[in-house]
Structures are given as C-alpha cells and as structure tokens.
C-alpha cells in the first residue's frame, strides 16, 4: 500500500474501424486502407511499446476497446492478405525512395528509416500469421492490458431506444464476437460515441457488463449531482458503473489549438509523397485508379502554421514526445494532489482517446505513451496507472445516481449523428428493424435455408446501423462511400427479405452477399426478437 498515492490514471484507447471488406475487385477500395494504415501506424506500434515496457520490467496498466467490427477484420484471412500486399508495396516504394533520394542526405536517411520500419512491421505481423489479436493477448494475460468490446457495429444506441431489438442485437453480438475472437468475456463496454440513455444499464447488466464510459457532462449532470464530479465512478443501477472523461487531460492531447500533436517538431500528417511526388514517379505504387492517396511516407515536420515545411527530424520529435510526457504527468500529479486535498479520497482521472490518434494522426503518439508510462513508474509515487474497476475498488464509497442522455462529440448530445446531413437514415433503419423483428417471429422454426437468409438479413441490418456512416456524412469526408454503404446494406436486406417471403432463392447471389459481408458467423435470428 502506497501512503503517498493520491490518485489513479485510467488511460483508455478506443480502437475502432467500420467493417470494410470488398473482395473480388481489380482495384482495391481506398477505404480498405483504413485498416492497413491503422495496423501499420497504430496497432503494431502499440505492440512494440508494450513489448519495450515489458522488456524493461516497467509495470503498466492500459485499457483498450477493440470493437467487434475491428476485431473481425483483424482475424479475416482476406484482409490479412490485403495488408501483406499493402506493406510489401510500401517496402518496394521505400526501396525506390532510397535510390531516388541519394542526392539529399536527409531525405535518404528518412527513406532508409521508413524501409526499416516497414520491413520490421511485416516481420512482426507474420509472427502470428497475420493475426494481430494474438500479438496483444500476452499483455491481456499478464493483466497489463484490459480489453473491452462495443456494440456490434458501433451503433449509436440512444437513437434506437424505441426499438429494443436493435439494442439487444447490438449488445449480444458485441459480446459474442468478443468472446469468440478474444477467448474471454469483457468486463466493460465502450458505448459507441459514449452514447448513453436512461435505462440502458438494464440491458448492459443482462449481458454482464460492469462498466462503461461517458463524457464529462454525462457524470456532472447526473441527479443527485455527484459529490466528486467526474473524478470518481458512479453507480447507475444493477451494479453497473459509469466513468466520466477528465476534460483537462483530454484537452492536452485533443485540442487542435494547443494540444501536444500540434507541436512544430512532430511529423506533418498532410505532407505525404503520395501527393508530393510527380505523378509518373508515384503512380506505380498507388494502385488507386488514378487517385492520389497517402502512402505513409512523409518527410516533413509541422514546422509552423504556414504551408512552408522543413524536413522532419526524428530525434527532435522524440525529444518533444518525452517533454510532453513529462508535462502530462506533472499536470496529472498537480491535479490529483488538488483533488485529494479537496475530497479526502483518491481521484480517478479517466483519459480516453481514439486509438488511431496515437500513431496514425500523431505519429509519435505511441512513443509518448511509452515515455509517460516509464515516467509514472520511475519518477513519482503520487499517481498510478489502473484499470477501471481496480480504481473503483480503491475508493471508500461510490455514489449512486441517475444519468441523462449524453454523448461525446460536438455539443455533447448526439447531434453529430443526427442532423440535416444524415437524418434520412434513421426512418430507414427503424422500418427495416421492425421488418426483421416480424420475420424472425414468423420464421423462427423455418428451414435451414430460411434461417440462413435470416442470419444474413441480420448482418446487413447491423452493418446498416453503424454510427460511422452518419459521422462521415456530417464531417463531409468520403460522403459518397457512407451513402453507398447505407444504400447497399438496406437494398441487400430488402433483396434477402424478398427471397425469404417468396421462397425464390438465388443461391449464387446469397453466397456472394455472405462472402462480402461475412461478419458475425455466430449470429442468431433470436437476437432480433
């Protein structure tokens, strides 16, 4: 027992991508690179960080969600092979760059670093024959890493509370997929977009979830007002606990104005040779139907707020990451000491982030985590890394409250996912969900073929409910793809429904649909009752 301990840091990474799988097309879908980039720049770098910490006997605790869509893609043989093609292409590009940049010593140095990085990534990827989940499991077994699930396709649950079958099917398939892939039951769940509504705890308790996360105001606007604000978990019913995001530590990383990732020494995300090099030089490496895309090879640092950019210096960036880790820890120590003096109990600082921020958007983010965890272990005794329920158990009392609907995102009440750009999708989703509920009731004792069609209808319905499509429409990035996915899943659902009702089954079409949207192999029609 550490008498100097004043608080706990619950460091949370939310790892999520929508299910994107398009086999059989001569040119790969650009959107499949979302997964490839995340593996290269976030997931494998995090594995490296965890291994470095273990190698140096640094104890650490970190909590991560792996959503069912992401977990399913990580174990999919087709997508694993797509990554092999992707990384081998980058290795070839880096080899080309080491020759092209011979006249510029600094660029040549950077190109060789990239080549080494890509080759090491491929070697690490193949350690478990392309199954990234198995690279994380040793840290789960050693209790350094606690992993959570999410609703099945990251559906924004508050907008579906009028149709209970949606809530049930999202939660059941979220838990079941996690169990199948990760070999254990999750204690916690990352509610998509931190979306909570009153009564959701009933469904969470039925599925065995013990805790979830909300944004700051989800806690502070509770009734009665929590005595310890967002710096202690609250119980919301049935022994289910809510943890609130700490705004201060979030701002230090997330803020577009003064957050760490904007430091001028860090690598500039938006200057990629896929856009910078002459078309005839880069075109052989893009495989994108004449569209310029990011390659991951970036030679410039942020430099300043103008378009003029200087070369990237990895040693300067590492110095910045170490400085920022020290600053982050110093602020957390000051924070918990102040809260302890006020509340006379240890504070729980919850710092959740999108995992892809670390490495993909903020290239040096994984190194920041490594520096931070080392400094927490070696440099102080005031705060410790903890998993959520471990932090909760350290407190002498936990207050029970009633929470209101909330989310994270702009303004904090879900308007990112329901506005003029995307409102049209919800009547469609609700109407198809009602049809699904009716069909399951009618055909629950159906033939093997009818049950097979029902299962694929369920997959299409769940994929249609992903919050990602509404988010993309709101942010106006890749809108055509989001609209297309919404229309494709709804049309496939209706096509399958017509097969089911008419009895005229196009077996080749059914097999094609199952092959492309192959998620949730253990889905059950009764999930949609």
């Amino acid at each position: 027992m550490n008498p100097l301990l004043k608080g706990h840091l619950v460091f949370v990474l939310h790892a999520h991508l929508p299910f994107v799988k398009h086999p059989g097309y001569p040119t790969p879908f650009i959107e499949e690179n979302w997964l490839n980039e995340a593996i290269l720049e976030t997931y494998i770098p995090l594995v490296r960080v965890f291994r470095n910490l273990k190698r140096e006997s640094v104890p650490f605790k970190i909590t991560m969600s792996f959503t069912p869509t992401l977990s399913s893609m990580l174990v999919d043989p087709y997508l694993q092979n797509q990554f092999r093609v992707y990384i081998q292409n980058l290795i070839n590009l880096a080899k080309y760059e080491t020759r092209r940049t011979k006249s510029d010593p600094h660029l040549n140095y950077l190109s060789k670093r990239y080549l080494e990085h890509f080759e090491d990534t491929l070697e690490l990827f193949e350690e478990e024959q392309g199954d990234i989940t198995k690279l994380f499991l040793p840290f789960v077994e050693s209790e350094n890493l606690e992993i959570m699930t999410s609703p099945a396709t990251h559906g924004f649950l508050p907008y579906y509370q009028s149709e209970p079958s949606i809530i049930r099917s999202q939660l059941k398939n979220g838990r079941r997929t996690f169990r199948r892939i990760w070999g254990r039951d999750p204690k916690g769940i990352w509610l998509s977009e931190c979306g909570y509504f009153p009564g959701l705890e009933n469904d969470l308790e039925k599925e065995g979830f013990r805790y979830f996360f909300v944004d700051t105001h989800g806690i502070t606007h509770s009734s009665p007002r929590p005595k310890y604000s967002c710096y202690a978990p609250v119980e919301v019913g049935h022994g289910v606990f809510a943890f609130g995001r700490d705004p201060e530590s979030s701002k230090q990383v997330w803020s577009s104005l003064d957050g760490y990732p904007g430091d001028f020494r860090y690598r500039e995300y938006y200057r990629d040779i896929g856009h910078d090099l002459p078309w005839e030089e880069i075109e052989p490496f893009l495989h994108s139907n004449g569209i310029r895309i990011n390659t991951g090879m970036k030679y410039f640092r942020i430099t300043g707020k103008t378009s003029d950019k200087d070369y990237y210096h990895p040693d300067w960036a590492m110095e910045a990451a170490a400085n920022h880790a020290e600053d982050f820890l110093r602020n957390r120590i000051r924070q918990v000491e102040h809260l302890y003096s006020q509340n006379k109990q240890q504070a729980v600082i919850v710092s959740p982030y999108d995992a892809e921020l670390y490495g993909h958007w903020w290239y040096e983010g994984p190194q920041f985590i490594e520096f931070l965890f080392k400094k927490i272990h070696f440099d102080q005794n005031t705060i410790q890394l903890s998993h959520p329920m471990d932090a909760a158990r350290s407190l002498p009392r936990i207050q029970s409250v009633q929470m209101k609907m909330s989310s994270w995102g702009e303004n904090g009440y879900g308007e990112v996912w329901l506005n003029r750009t995307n409102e049209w999708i919800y009547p469609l989703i609700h109407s198809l969900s009602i049809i699904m509920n009716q069909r399951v009731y009618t055909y629950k004792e159906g033939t093997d073929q009818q049950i097979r069609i029902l299962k694929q209808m369920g997959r299409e319905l769940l994929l249609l409910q992903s919050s990602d499509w509404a988010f993309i429409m709101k942010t106006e990035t890749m809108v055509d793809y989001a609209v297309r996915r919404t229309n494709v899943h709804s049309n496939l659902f209706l096509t399958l429904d017509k097969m089911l009702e008419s009895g005229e089954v196009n077996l080749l079409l059914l097999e094609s649909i199952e092959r492309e949207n192959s998620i949730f192999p253990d889905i059950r029609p009764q999930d949609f009752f």
Side-chain angles (χ1 to χ4, degrees), residues 349-379:
I349 308 295
V350 177
S351 300
Y353 311 96
D354 284 339
E356 289 73 25
L357 172 65
Y358 289 86
H360 177 58
W361 296 105
W362 179 16
Y363 187 61
E364 299 80 6
Q367 282 66 52
F368 166 85
I369 291 175
E370 183 174 341
F371 286 136
L372 174 64
F373 287 5
K374 286 179 179 178
K375 289 176 182 295
I376 288 174
H377 174 61
F378 289 114
D379 295 354

Side-chain angles (χ1 to χ4, degrees), residues 216-375:
T216 312
H217 60 286
I219 299 286
T220 58
H221 293 181
S222 299
S223 179
R225 186 163 295 240
K227 180 178 180 181
Y228 304 108
S229 185
C230 64
Y231 300 110
V234 293
E235 194 268 344
V236 295
H238 304 286
V240 177
F241 298 89
F243 289 78
R245 176 164 72 157
D246 164 47
E248 186 178 325
S249 59
S250 294
K251 181 182 177 184
Q252 283 184 270
V253 175
W254 278 115
S255 173
S256 61
L257 296 177
D258 50 12
Y260 298 143
D263 188 284
F264 295 164
R265 292 167 288 180
Y266 288 139
R267 191 182 77 161
E268 171 59 71
Y269 175 83
Y270 294 100
R271 286 294 301 273
D272 187 285
I273 66 171
H275 299 277
D276 286 350
L277 288 187
W279 174 252
E280 60 273 12
E281 292 187 34
I282 197 65
E283 189 272 337
F285 302 101
L286 294 184
H287 307 296
S288 61
N289 261 356
I291 301 172
R292 286 184 177 269
I293 59 174
N294 285 344
T295 65
M297 293 192 70
K298 307 171 196 290
Y299 292 143
F300 295 92
R301 61 188 178 91
I302 293 173
T303 311
K305 296 186 177 181
T306 69
S307 59
D308 296 325
K309 303 296 177 184
D310 291 333
Y311 285 162
Y312 177 63
H313 293 259
D315 51 341
W316 296 1
M318 287 303 98
E319 180 183 28
N323 292 343
H324 288 145
E326 185 174 351
D327 181 70
F328 186 91
L329 177 57
R330 183 168 54 248
N331 280 281
R332 298 292 75 71
I333 291 173
R334 185 183 301 122
Q335 192 177 16
V336 297
E337 286 177 337
H338 171 71
L339 291 167
Y340 189 87
S341 68
Q342 279 191 327
N343 300 330
K344 302 301 184 286
Q345 72 171 29
Q346 296 168 4
V348 178
I349 308 295
V350 177
S351 300
Y353 311 96
D354 284 339
E356 289 73 25
L357 172 65
Y358 289 86
H360 177 58
W361 296 105
W362 179 16
Y363 187 61
E364 299 80 6
Q367 282 66 52
F368 166 85
I369 291 175
E370 183 174 341
F371 286 136
L372 174 64
F373 287 5
K374 286 179 179 178
K375 289 176 182 295

Side-chain angles (χ1 to χ4, degrees), residues 4 7 33 44 50 54 69 72 117 125-126 194 250 264 271 278 286 299 317 447 453 457 470 482:
L4 302 177
N33 276 348
I44 284 183
F50 297 166
K54 294 288 282 187
T69 49
S72 297
H117 173 57
F125 180 78
E126 294 294 4
C194 290
S250 294
F264 295 164
R271 286 294 301 273
L286 294 184
Y299 292 143
T447 64
I453 295 171
M457 288 172 66

Side-chain angles (χ1 to χ4, degrees), residues 439-508:
R439 298 295 184 262
V440 170
Y441 184 80
T442 301
Y443 294 100
K444 60 180 181 291
E445 304 296 337
T447 64
D448 289 347
Q449 190 173 74
Q450 288 171 331
I451 297 300
R452 178 180 174 184
I453 295 171
L454 273 178
K455 288 181 177 181
Q456 193 59 37
M457 288 172 66
R459 294 185 187 105
E460 302 302 329
L461 186 57
L462 287 171
L463 290 168
L464 176 62
Q465 294 163 2
S466 169
S467 69
D468 298 279
W469 316 137
F471 179 80
I472 291 171
M473 293 174 201
K474 171 64 168 65
T475 57
E476 299 182 345
T477 59
M478 313 294 284
V479 173
D480 289 346
Y481 183 76
V483 171
R484 176 182 175 182
R485 287 292 299 269
T486 301
N487 289 331
V488 163
H489 292 305
S490 56
N491 289 336
L492 289 178
F493 179 94
L494 293 171
T495 298
L496 292 163
D497 185 53
K498 186 176 180 180
M499 287 187 198
L500 184 66
E501 288 285 88
S502 67
E504 299 175 6
V505 179
N506 183 333
L507 199 56
L508 288 177

Side-chain angles (χ1 to χ4, degrees), residues 111-125:
S111 67
K112 289 177 179 177
R113 280 182 63 104
Y114 278 119
L115 176 58
E116 181 181 345
H117 173 57
F118 296 152
E119 290 176 334
D120 181 68
T121 295
L122 179 57
E123 182 179 344
L124 209 160
F125 180 78

Side-chain angles (χ1 to χ4, degrees), residues 163-181:
E163 183 49 53
S165 66
I166 297 179
I167 308 297
R168 288 194 294 270
S169 59
Q170 283 281 342
L171 294 180
K172 285 181 179 297
N173 283 284
R175 169 176 279 280
R176 190 181 300 133
T177 299
F178 187 92
R179 176 74 197 185
R180 173 172 50 81
I181 292 174

